[in-house]
Amino acid sequence: MSDCLDANAPPSAKLVVKVLEYSDEPLTQQEISDRTRLSARTVRSSLKRLKEQDTVEERVYIPDARKQLYVLSESVQECLQTAGQAEEAGAA
């Protein structure tokens, strides 16, 4: 995972990436906060940093336009899949 993220990313941002990686669908900020048990402020700060680095993409939440959905960018998803496959090949 470290190859796919900024080396200086705080642990909270890495946790947000992991939660988004294992989620089958985009998540709202509240859902990320619930799953990580991080405060809303910490999640908001992490998401802001990850958006600036093009790690996370923001989408409109149709049922409530005041909320946003967050998902990993395609380049990060591909990087994480490649890293996972490399780990599996190394373990075999």
Side-chain angles (χ1 to χ4, degrees):
M1 180 166 112
S2 59
D3 295 339
C4 304
L5 294 177
D6 176 18
N8 297 324
S12 58
K14 292 177 183 179
L15 180 57
V16 168
V17 169
K18 273 296 177 194
V19 165
L20 289 172
E21 178 185 3
Y22 288 110
S23 177
D24 294 334
E25 58 191 14
L27 300 174
T28 64
Q29 180 181 326
Q30 182 62 50
E31 291 170 330
I32 294 169
S33 182
D34 291 344
R35 292 182 186 195
T36 59
R37 298 189 184 268
L38 295 171
S39 71
R41 181 179 181 190
T42 301
V43 171
R44 187 171 45 252
S45 173
S46 296
L47 287 170
K48 180 181 177 190
R49 181 183 187 126
L50 293 167
K51 284 190 306 184
E52 289 171 355
Q53 298 171 346
D54 295 325
T55 303
V56 170
E57 295 176 0
E58 189 176 72
R59 299 180 181 166
V60 176
Y61 182 56
I62 300 299
D64 185 351
R66 296 171 295 175
K67 296 182 181 180
Q68 302 296 320
L69 290 174
Y70 298 93
V71 64
L72 294 177
S73 66
E74 287 190 31
S75 60
V76 173
Q77 288 178 11
E78 290 172 6
C79 180
L80 292 171
Q81 287 176 352
T82 304
Q85 291 171 351
E87 286 180 13
E88 289 176 8

Coordinates of all heavy atoms in Angstrom, one line a residue:
M1 N 0.8 -1.2 0.0 CA 0.0 0.0 0.0 C 0.9 1.3 0.0 O 0.5 2.3 -0.6 CB -0.9 0.0 1.2 CG -1.8 1.2 1.3 SD -3.1 1.0 2.5 CE -2.6 2.2 3.7
S2 N 2.0 1.2 0.6 CA 2.9 2.4 0.7 C 3.3 2.9 -0.7 O 3.5 4.1 -0.8 CB 4.1 2.1 1.6 OG 4.8 1.1 1.0
D3 N 3.4 2.1 -1.7 CA 3.8 2.5 -3.0 C 2.7 3.3 -3.6 O 2.9 4.1 -4.5 CB 4.2 1.3 -3.9 CG 5.4 0.6 -3.4 OD1 6.2 1.2 -2.6 OD2 5.6 -0.6 -3.7
C4 N 1.5 3.1 -3.2 CA 0.3 3.7 -3.8 C -0.1 5.0 -3.2 O -0.9 5.8 -3.7 CB -0.9 2.8 -3.7 SG -0.6 1.2 -4.5
L5 N 0.5 5.3 -2.0 CA 0.2 6.5 -1.2 C 1.4 7.4 -1.0 O 2.5 6.9 -1.0 CB -0.5 6.2 0.1 CG -1.8 5.5 0.1 CD1 -2.2 5.1 1.5 CD2 -2.8 6.3 -0.5
D6 N 1.1 8.6 -0.6 CA 2.2 9.5 -0.2 C 2.9 8.9 1.1 O 2.2 8.5 2.0 CB 1.6 10.9 0.1 CG 2.6 11.9 0.7 OD1 3.8 11.7 0.5 OD2 2.1 12.9 1.2
A7 N 4.2 8.9 1.1 CA 4.9 8.3 2.2 C 4.6 9.1 3.5 O 4.7 8.6 4.6 CB 6.4 8.3 1.9
N8 N 4.3 10.4 3.4 CA 4.0 11.2 4.5 C 2.6 11.2 5.0 O 2.2 12.0 5.8 CB 4.5 12.7 4.2 CG 6.0 12.7 4.0 OD1 6.7 12.0 4.6 ND2 6.4 13.6 3.1
A9 N 1.7 10.4 4.4 CA 0.3 10.4 4.7 C 0.2 9.9 6.2 O 0.8 9.0 6.6 CB -0.4 9.4 3.8
P10 N -0.7 10.6 6.9 CA -0.9 10.2 8.3 C -1.6 8.8 8.4 O -2.3 8.4 7.4 CB -1.8 11.3 8.9 CG -2.4 11.9 7.7 CD -1.5 11.7 6.5
P11 N -1.5 8.2 9.5 CA -2.2 6.9 9.7 C -3.7 7.0 9.4 O -4.3 6.0 8.9 CB -1.9 6.5 11.1 CG -0.7 7.2 11.5 CD -0.7 8.5 10.7
S12 N -4.3 8.1 9.8 CA -5.8 8.2 9.6 C -6.1 8.2 8.1 O -7.1 7.6 7.7 CB -6.3 9.5 10.2 OG -5.6 10.6 9.7
A13 N -5.3 8.8 7.3 CA -5.6 8.8 5.8 C -5.4 7.4 5.3 O -6.1 7.0 4.4 CB -4.6 9.8 5.1
K14 N -4.4 6.7 5.8 CA -4.1 5.3 5.3 C -5.3 4.4 5.7 O -5.7 3.5 5.0 CB -2.8 4.8 5.9 CG -1.6 5.5 5.4 CD -0.4 5.0 6.0 CE 0.8 5.8 5.5 NZ 2.1 5.3 6.1
L15 N -5.9 4.7 6.9 CA -7.0 3.9 7.3 C -8.3 4.2 6.5 O -9.0 3.3 6.1 CB -7.4 4.2 8.8 CG -8.5 3.5 9.4 CD1 -8.4 2.0 9.3 CD2 -8.7 3.9 10.9
V16 N -8.4 5.4 6.1 CA -9.5 5.8 5.2 C -9.4 5.1 3.9 O -10.3 4.5 3.3 CB -9.6 7.3 5.0 CG1 -10.6 7.7 3.9 CG2 -10.1 8.0 6.3
V17 N -8.2 5.0 3.3 CA -7.9 4.3 2.1 C -8.2 2.8 2.2 O -8.9 2.3 1.3 CB -6.4 4.5 1.6 CG1 -6.1 3.6 0.5 CG2 -6.2 6.0 1.2
K18 N -7.8 2.2 3.3 CA -8.1 0.8 3.5 C -9.6 0.5 3.6 O -10.1 -0.4 3.0 CB -7.5 0.3 4.8 CG -6.1 -0.2 4.6 CD -6.1 -1.4 3.7 CE -4.7 -1.8 3.5 NZ -4.6 -2.8 2.3
V19 N -10.4 1.4 4.3 CA -11.8 1.2 4.4 C -12.4 1.4 3.0 O -13.3 0.5 2.6 CB -12.4 2.2 5.4 CG1 -13.9 2.3 5.2 CG2 -12.1 1.9 6.8
L20 N -12.0 2.3 2.2 CA -12.5 2.5 0.8 C -12.1 1.3 0.0 O -12.9 0.9 -0.9 CB -12.1 3.8 0.2 CG -12.7 5.1 0.9 CD1 -12.0 6.3 0.3 CD2 -14.2 5.1 0.6
E21 N -10.9 0.8 0.2 CA -10.4 -0.3 -0.6 C -11.3 -1.6 -0.4 O -11.6 -2.3 -1.4 CB -9.0 -0.7 -0.3 CG -8.4 -1.8 -1.0 CD -7.0 -2.2 -0.5 OE1 -6.5 -1.6 0.4 OE2 -6.5 -3.2 -1.1
Y22 N -11.7 -1.8 0.8 CA -12.5 -3.0 1.1 C -14.0 -2.8 1.0 O -14.8 -3.8 1.1 CB -12.2 -3.5 2.5 CG -10.8 -4.2 2.5 CD1 -9.7 -3.5 3.2 CD2 -10.5 -5.3 1.8 CE1 -8.5 -4.1 3.2 CE2 -9.2 -5.9 1.8 CZ -8.2 -5.3 2.5 OH -7.0 -5.8 2.5
S23 N -14.4 -1.6 0.7 CA -15.9 -1.4 0.5 C -16.3 -1.7 -0.9 O -15.6 -1.4 -1.9 CB -16.2 0.1 0.8 OG -17.5 0.4 0.5
D24 N -17.5 -2.3 -1.1 CA -18.0 -2.7 -2.4 C -18.7 -1.5 -3.1 O -19.0 -1.6 -4.2 CB -19.0 -3.8 -2.2 CG -18.3 -5.1 -1.8 OD1 -17.1 -5.3 -2.0 OD2 -19.0 -5.9 -1.2
E25 N -18.9 -0.4 -2.3 CA -19.6 0.7 -2.9 C -19.0 2.0 -2.3 O -18.3 2.0 -1.3 CB -21.1 0.7 -2.5 CG -21.3 0.6 -1.1 CD -22.8 0.3 -0.7 OE1 -23.5 -0.2 -1.6 OE2 -23.1 0.5 0.4
P26 N -19.2 3.1 -3.0 CA -18.8 4.4 -2.5 C -19.4 4.7 -1.1 O -20.5 4.3 -0.8 CB -19.2 5.4 -3.5 CG -19.4 4.7 -4.8 CD -19.9 3.3 -4.3
L27 N -18.7 5.4 -0.3 CA -19.1 5.7 1.1 C -19.3 7.2 1.4 O -18.5 8.0 0.8 CB -18.1 5.1 2.1 CG -17.9 3.6 2.1 CD1 -16.8 3.2 3.0 CD2 -19.2 2.9 2.4
T28 N -20.2 7.6 2.2 CA -20.3 9.0 2.7 C -19.3 9.2 3.8 O -18.7 8.2 4.3 CB -21.7 9.3 3.2 OG1 -21.9 8.5 4.4 CG2 -22.8 9.0 2.2
Q29 N -19.1 10.4 4.1 CA -18.1 10.8 5.2 C -18.6 10.1 6.5 O -17.7 9.6 7.2 CB -18.0 12.3 5.3 CG -17.1 12.7 6.4 CD -17.0 14.2 6.5 OE1 -17.2 14.9 5.6 NE2 -16.8 14.7 7.8
Q30 N -19.9 10.1 6.7 CA -20.4 9.5 8.0 C -20.1 8.0 8.0 O -19.8 7.5 9.1 CB -21.9 9.8 8.1 CG -22.5 9.3 9.4 CD -21.9 9.9 10.6 OE1 -21.8 11.1 10.7 NE2 -21.4 9.1 11.6
E31 N -20.3 7.4 6.9 CA -20.1 5.9 6.8 C -18.6 5.6 7.1 O -18.2 4.7 7.8 CB -20.5 5.4 5.5 CG -22.0 5.4 5.3 CD -22.5 5.0 3.9 OE1 -21.8 5.4 2.9 OE2 -23.6 4.5 3.8
I32 N -17.7 6.4 6.5 CA -16.3 6.3 6.7 C -16.0 6.5 8.2 O -15.2 5.7 8.8 CB -15.5 7.2 5.8 CG1 -15.7 6.9 4.4 CG2 -14.0 7.2 6.2 CD1 -15.1 7.9 3.4
S33 N -16.5 7.5 8.8 CA -16.3 7.8 10.2 C -16.8 6.6 11.1 O -16.1 6.2 12.0 CB -17.0 9.1 10.6 OG -16.8 9.4 11.9
D34 N -18.0 6.1 10.8 CA -18.5 4.9 11.5 C -17.6 3.7 11.4 O -17.4 3.0 12.4 CB -19.9 4.6 11.0 CG -20.9 5.6 11.4 OD1 -20.6 6.5 12.2 OD2 -22.0 5.6 10.8
R35 N -17.1 3.4 10.2 CA -16.3 2.2 10.0 C -14.9 2.3 10.6 O -14.3 1.3 11.0 CB -16.2 1.9 8.5 CG -17.6 1.4 8.0 CD -17.5 1.1 6.5 NE -18.9 0.8 6.0 CZ -19.1 0.2 4.9 NH1 -18.1 -0.2 4.1 NH2 -20.3 -0.1 4.5
T36 N -14.3 3.5 10.6 CA -13.0 3.7 11.1 C -13.0 4.1 12.5 O -11.9 4.0 13.2 CB -12.3 4.9 10.3 OG1 -13.0 6.1 10.5 CG2 -12.1 4.5 8.8
R37 N -14.1 4.5 13.1 CA -14.2 5.1 14.4 C -13.3 6.3 14.6 O -12.9 6.6 15.8 CB -13.9 4.0 15.5 CG -14.8 2.8 15.4 CD -14.6 1.9 16.6 NE -15.4 0.7 16.5 CZ -16.6 0.6 17.1 NH1 -17.1 1.6 17.7 NH2 -17.3 -0.5 17.0
L38 N -13.1 7.0 13.5 CA -12.4 8.3 13.6 C -13.4 9.4 13.7 O -14.5 9.2 13.3 CB -11.5 8.5 12.4 CG -10.4 7.6 12.1 CD1 -9.8 7.8 10.7 CD2 -9.3 7.7 13.2
S39 N -13.0 10.5 14.3 CA -13.9 11.6 14.4 C -14.3 12.2 13.0 O -13.5 12.0 12.1 CB -13.3 12.7 15.3 OG -12.3 13.4 14.6
A40 N -15.4 12.8 12.9 CA -15.8 13.4 11.6 C -14.8 14.4 11.2 O -14.5 14.5 10.0 CB -17.2 14.1 11.8
R41 N -14.2 15.2 12.1 CA -13.2 16.2 11.7 C -11.9 15.5 11.1 O -11.3 15.9 10.1 CB -12.8 17.0 12.9 CG -11.8 18.0 12.7 CD -11.5 18.8 13.9 NE -10.5 19.9 13.6 CZ -9.9 20.6 14.5 NH1 -10.2 20.4 15.8 NH2 -9.0 21.5 14.1
T42 N -11.5 14.4 11.7 CA -10.3 13.7 11.3 C -10.6 13.1 9.9 O -9.7 13.1 9.0 CB -9.9 12.6 12.3 OG1 -9.6 13.2 13.5 CG2 -8.7 11.8 11.8
V43 N -11.8 12.5 9.7 CA -12.1 11.9 8.4 C -12.2 13.0 7.3 O -11.7 12.9 6.2 CB -13.5 11.2 8.5 CG1 -14.0 10.8 7.1 CG2 -13.3 9.9 9.4
R44 N -12.8 14.2 7.7 CA -12.9 15.3 6.7 C -11.5 15.8 6.3 O -11.2 16.0 5.2 CB -13.7 16.4 7.4 CG -14.0 17.6 6.5 CD -15.0 18.6 7.1 NE -14.7 18.9 8.5 CZ -15.4 18.5 9.5 NH1 -16.5 17.8 9.3 NH2 -15.1 18.9 10.7
S45 N -10.6 15.9 7.3 CA -9.2 16.3 7.0 C -8.5 15.3 6.2 O -7.8 15.6 5.2 CB -8.5 16.5 8.4 OG -7.1 16.7 8.1
S46 N -8.7 14.0 6.5 CA -8.0 12.9 5.7 C -8.5 12.9 4.2 O -7.8 12.8 3.3 CB -8.3 11.6 6.3 OG -7.7 11.5 7.6
L47 N -9.9 13.1 4.1 CA -10.4 13.1 2.7 C -10.0 14.3 1.9 O -9.7 14.2 0.7 CB -12.0 13.1 2.8 CG -12.6 11.8 3.3 CD1 -14.1 11.9 3.5 CD2 -12.4 10.7 2.2
K48 N -9.8 15.4 2.6 CA -9.3 16.6 1.9 C -7.9 16.4 1.4 O -7.6 16.7 0.2 CB -9.3 17.8 2.9 CG -8.8 19.1 2.2 CD -8.8 20.3 3.2 CE -8.2 21.5 2.5 NZ -8.0 22.5 3.5
R49 N -7.1 15.8 2.2 CA -5.7 15.5 1.8 C -5.7 14.5 0.7 O -4.9 14.7 -0.3 CB -4.9 15.0 3.0 CG -3.5 14.7 2.8 CD -2.8 14.1 4.0 NE -1.4 14.0 3.7 CZ -0.4 14.5 4.5 NH1 -0.7 15.2 5.6 NH2 0.8 14.3 4.2
L50 N -6.5 13.5 0.8 CA -6.5 12.4 -0.2 C -7.0 12.9 -1.5 O -6.6 12.5 -2.6 CB -7.3 11.2 0.3 CG -6.7 10.5 1.5 CD1 -7.7 9.5 2.1 CD2 -5.4 9.7 1.0
K51 N -8.0 13.8 -1.5 CA -8.5 14.5 -2.7 C -7.5 15.3 -3.4 O -7.3 15.3 -4.6 CB -9.8 15.3 -2.4 CG -11.0 14.5 -2.2 CD -12.3 15.4 -2.2 CE -12.1 16.5 -1.2 NZ -13.3 17.3 -1.0
E52 N -6.7 16.1 -2.6 CA -5.6 16.9 -3.2 C -4.6 16.1 -3.8 O -3.9 16.5 -4.8 CB -5.0 17.8 -2.0 CG -5.9 18.8 -1.5 CD -5.4 19.5 -0.3 OE1 -4.4 19.1 0.2 OE2 -6.0 20.5 0.1
Q53 N -4.4 14.8 -3.4 CA -3.4 13.9 -3.9 C -3.9 13.1 -5.0 O -3.3 12.2 -5.5 CB -2.8 13.1 -2.8 CG -2.0 13.9 -1.8 CD -1.6 13.0 -0.6 OE1 -2.1 11.9 -0.4 NE2 -0.8 13.5 0.2
D54 N -5.2 13.3 -5.4 CA -5.9 12.5 -6.4 C -5.9 11.0 -6.0 O -5.9 10.1 -6.9 CB -5.3 12.7 -7.8 CG -5.4 14.1 -8.3 OD1 -6.5 14.7 -8.0 OD2 -4.5 14.6 -9.0
T55 N -6.0 10.7 -4.7 CA -6.2 9.3 -4.3 C -7.6 9.0 -4.2 O -8.0 7.8 -4.4 CB -5.5 9.2 -2.9 OG1 -4.1 9.6 -3.0 CG2 -5.6 7.8 -2.4
V56 N -8.5 9.9 -3.8 CA -9.9 9.7 -3.6 C -10.7 10.6 -4.6 O -10.3 11.8 -4.8 CB -10.3 10.0 -2.2 CG1 -11.8 10.1 -2.0 CG2 -9.7 9.0 -1.2
E57 N -11.8 10.1 -5.1 CA -12.7 10.9 -5.9 C -13.9 11.2 -5.2 O -14.4 10.3 -4.4 CB -13.0 10.2 -7.2 CG -11.8 9.9 -8.1 CD -12.1 9.1 -9.3 OE1 -13.3 8.7 -9.5 OE2 -11.2 8.8 -10.1
E58 N -14.5 12.3 -5.4 CA -15.8 12.7 -4.7 C -16.9 12.7 -5.8 O -16.7 13.2 -6.9 CB -15.6 14.2 -4.2 CG -16.6 14.7 -3.3 CD -16.3 16.0 -2.8 OE1 -16.3 17.0 -3.6 OE2 -15.9 16.1 -1.6
R59 N -18.0 12.1 -5.4 CA -19.2 12.0 -6.2 C -20.4 12.6 -5.5 O -20.4 12.6 -4.3 CB -19.4 10.6 -6.6 CG -18.3 10.0 -7.4 CD -18.5 8.6 -7.8 NE -17.4 8.0 -8.5 CZ -17.2 6.7 -8.8 NH1 -18.1 5.9 -8.3 NH2 -16.2 6.3 -9.4
V60 N -21.4 12.9 -6.3 CA -22.6 13.4 -5.7 C -23.5 12.3 -5.2 O -23.6 11.2 -5.8 CB -23.5 14.2 -6.7 CG1 -24.8 14.7 -6.2 CG2 -22.7 15.4 -7.2
Y61 N -24.0 12.4 -4.0 CA -24.9 11.4 -3.4 C -26.3 11.8 -3.8 O -26.9 12.8 -3.3 CB -24.7 11.5 -1.8 CG -25.5 10.5 -1.1 CD1 -25.4 9.1 -1.4 CD2 -26.3 10.9 0.0 CE1 -26.2 8.2 -0.6 CE2 -27.1 9.9 0.7 CZ -27.0 8.6 0.4 OH -27.7 7.7 1.1
I62 N -26.9 11.1 -4.7 CA -28.2 11.4 -5.3 C -29.3 11.6 -4.3 O -30.1 12.6 -4.4 CB -28.6 10.4 -6.4 CG1 -27.5 10.4 -7.5 CG2 -30.0 10.7 -7.0 CD1 -27.3 11.7 -8.2
P63 N -29.5 10.7 -3.3 CA -30.6 10.9 -2.4 C -30.5 12.2 -1.5 O -31.5 12.7 -1.1 CB -30.5 9.7 -1.4 CG -29.8 8.6 -2.2 CD -28.8 9.4 -3.1
D64 N -29.3 12.7 -1.3 CA -29.1 13.9 -0.5 C -28.0 14.7 -1.1 O -26.8 14.4 -0.8 CB -28.9 13.6 0.9 CG -28.9 14.8 1.8 OD1 -28.8 15.9 1.3 OD2 -28.8 14.6 3.1
A65 N -28.2 15.7 -1.9 CA -27.2 16.4 -2.6 C -26.2 17.2 -1.7 O -25.2 17.6 -2.1 CB -27.8 17.4 -3.6
R66 N -26.6 17.3 -0.4 CA -25.7 17.9 0.5 C -24.5 17.0 0.9 O -23.5 17.5 1.4 CB -26.5 18.3 1.8 CG -27.5 19.4 1.5 CD -28.4 19.5 2.8 NE -29.1 18.3 3.0 CZ -29.9 18.1 4.1 NH1 -30.0 19.0 5.0 NH2 -30.5 16.9 4.2
K67 N -24.7 15.8 0.7 CA -23.6 14.8 1.0 C -22.8 14.4 -0.2 O -23.3 14.6 -1.4 CB -24.2 13.5 1.6 CG -24.9 13.8 2.9 CD -25.5 12.5 3.5 CE -26.2 12.7 4.8 NZ -26.7 11.4 5.3
Q68 N -21.6 13.9 0.0 CA -20.8 13.4 -1.1 C -20.5 12.0 -0.8 O -20.5 11.5 0.3 CB -19.5 14.2 -1.1 CG -19.6 15.7 -1.3 CD -20.3 16.1 -2.6 OE1 -19.9 15.5 -3.6 NE2 -21.2 17.0 -2.6
L69 N -20.2 11.3 -1.9 CA -19.7 9.9 -1.8 C -18.2 9.9 -2.2 O -17.8 10.7 -3.0 CB -20.5 9.0 -2.8 CG -21.9 8.7 -2.5 CD1 -22.6 7.9 -3.7 CD2 -22.1 7.9 -1.2
Y70 N -17.5 9.0 -1.5 CA -16.1 8.9 -1.8 C -15.7 7.5 -2.2 O -16.2 6.5 -1.7 CB -15.3 9.3 -0.5 CG -15.6 10.7 -0.1 CD1 -16.6 11.0 0.8 CD2 -14.9 11.8 -0.6 CE1 -16.9 12.3 1.2 CE2 -15.2 13.1 -0.2 CZ -16.2 13.3 0.7 OH -16.5 14.6 1.0
V71 N -14.8 7.5 -3.2 CA -14.3 6.2 -3.7 C -12.8 6.4 -4.1 O -12.4 7.6 -4.4 CB -15.1 5.8 -5.0 CG1 -15.0 6.8 -6.1 CG2 -14.8 4.4 -5.4
L72 N -12.1 5.4 -4.1 CA -10.7 5.5 -4.5 C -10.6 5.8 -6.0 O -11.4 5.2 -6.8 CB -9.9 4.2 -4.2 CG -9.7 3.8 -2.8 CD1 -9.0 2.5 -2.6 CD2 -8.9 4.9 -2.0
S73 N -9.6 6.5 -6.4 CA -9.4 6.8 -7.8 C -9.0 5.5 -8.5 O -8.5 4.6 -7.9 CB -8.4 7.9 -8.1 OG -7.1 7.4 -7.6
E74 N -9.2 5.4 -9.8 CA -8.9 4.2 -10.6 C -7.4 3.9 -10.5 O -7.0 2.7 -10.4 CB -9.4 4.3 -12.0 CG -10.9 4.2 -12.2 CD -11.3 4.1 -13.6 OE1 -10.5 3.5 -14.4 OE2 -12.4 4.6 -13.9
S75 N -6.6 4.9 -10.6 CA -5.1 4.6 -10.6 C -4.7 4.0 -9.2 O -3.9 3.1 -9.2 CB -4.3 5.9 -10.8 OG -4.6 6.9 -9.8
V76 N -5.3 4.5 -8.1 CA -5.0 3.9 -6.8 C -5.5 2.5 -6.7 O -4.9 1.6 -6.2 CB -5.5 4.8 -5.7 CG1 -5.3 4.2 -4.3 CG2 -4.8 6.2 -5.7
Q77 N -6.7 2.3 -7.2 CA -7.3 0.9 -7.2 C -6.4 -0.1 -7.9 O -6.1 -1.2 -7.4 CB -8.7 0.9 -7.8 CG -9.8 1.6 -6.9 CD -11.1 1.6 -7.6 OE1 -11.3 0.9 -8.6 NE2 -12.0 2.3 -7.0
E78 N -5.9 0.3 -9.1 CA -5.0 -0.5 -9.9 C -3.7 -0.8 -9.2 O -3.2 -1.9 -9.1 CB -4.8 0.1 -11.2 CG -6.0 0.1 -12.2 CD -5.8 1.0 -13.4 OE1 -4.6 1.4 -13.7 OE2 -6.7 1.1 -14.2
C79 N -3.2 0.3 -8.5 CA -1.9 0.1 -7.8 C -2.1 -0.9 -6.6 O -1.3 -1.7 -6.4 CB -1.5 1.5 -7.3 SG 0.0 1.5 -6.3
L80 N -3.2 -0.7 -5.9 CA -3.5 -1.6 -4.8 C -3.7 -3.1 -5.2 O -3.2 -4.0 -4.6 CB -4.7 -1.1 -4.0 CG -4.5 0.2 -3.2 CD1 -5.8 0.7 -2.6 CD2 -3.4 0.0 -2.1
Q81 N -4.4 -3.3 -6.4 CA -4.6 -4.6 -6.9 C -3.2 -5.2 -7.3 O -3.0 -6.4 -7.1 CB -5.5 -4.6 -8.1 CG -7.0 -4.4 -7.7 CD -7.9 -4.2 -8.9 OE1 -7.5 -4.2 -10.0 NE2 -9.2 -4.2 -8.6
T82 N -2.4 -4.4 -8.0 CA -1.1 -4.9 -8.4 C -0.2 -5.3 -7.2 O 0.4 -6.3 -7.2 CB -0.4 -3.8 -9.3 OG1 -1.2 -3.5 -10.4 CG2 1.0 -4.3 -9.8
A83 N -0.3 -4.4 -6.2 CA 0.5 -4.7 -5.0 C 0.0 -6.0 -4.3 O 0.8 -6.8 -3.8 CB 0.4 -3.6 -4.0
G84 N -1.3 -6.2 -4.3 CA -1.9 -7.4 -3.7 C -1.5 -8.7 -4.4 O -1.2 -9.7 -3.8
Q85 N -1.5 -8.6 -5.8 CA -1.1 -9.7 -6.6 C 0.4 -10.0 -6.4 O 0.7 -11.2 -6.4 CB -1.4 -9.4 -8.1 CG -2.9 -9.4 -8.3 CD -3.2 -8.9 -9.7 OE1 -2.3 -8.4 -10.5 NE2 -4.5 -8.9 -10.1
A86 N 1.2 -9.0 -6.2 CA 2.6 -9.2 -6.0 C 2.9 -9.9 -4.7 O 3.7 -10.8 -4.6 CB 3.4 -7.9 -6.1
E87 N 2.1 -9.5 -3.7 CA 2.2 -10.2 -2.3 C 1.8 -11.6 -2.4 O 2.4 -12.5 -1.8 CB 1.4 -9.4 -1.3 CG 1.9 -8.1 -0.9 CD 1.1 -7.4 0.2 OE1 0.1 -8.1 0.7 OE2 1.3 -6.2 0.4
E88 N 0.7 -11.9 -3.1 CA 0.2 -13.3 -3.3 C 1.3 -14.1 -4.0 O 1.5 -15.3 -3.7 CB -1.1 -13.3 -4.0 CG -2.2 -12.8 -3.2 CD -3.5 -12.8 -4.0 OE1 -3.6 -13.3 -5.1 OE2 -4.5 -12.2 -3.5
A89 N 1.9 -13.6 -5.1 CA 2.9 -14.3 -5.8 C 4.1 -14.6 -5.0 O 4.7 -15.6 -5.1 CB 3.2 -13.5 -7.1
G90 N 4.5 -13.6 -4.1 CA 5.6 -13.8 -3.3 C 5.4 -14.8 -2.2 O 6.3 -15.4 -1.7
A91 N 4.2 -14.9 -1.7 CA 3.8 -15.9 -0.7 C 3.8 -17.3 -1.2 O 3.9 -18.3 -0.4 CB 2.5 -15.5 0.0
A92 N 3.5 -17.5 -2.5 CA 3.4 -18.8 -3.1 C 4.7 -19.5 -3.3 O 5.7 -19.1 -3.2 CB 2.6 -18.7 -4.4

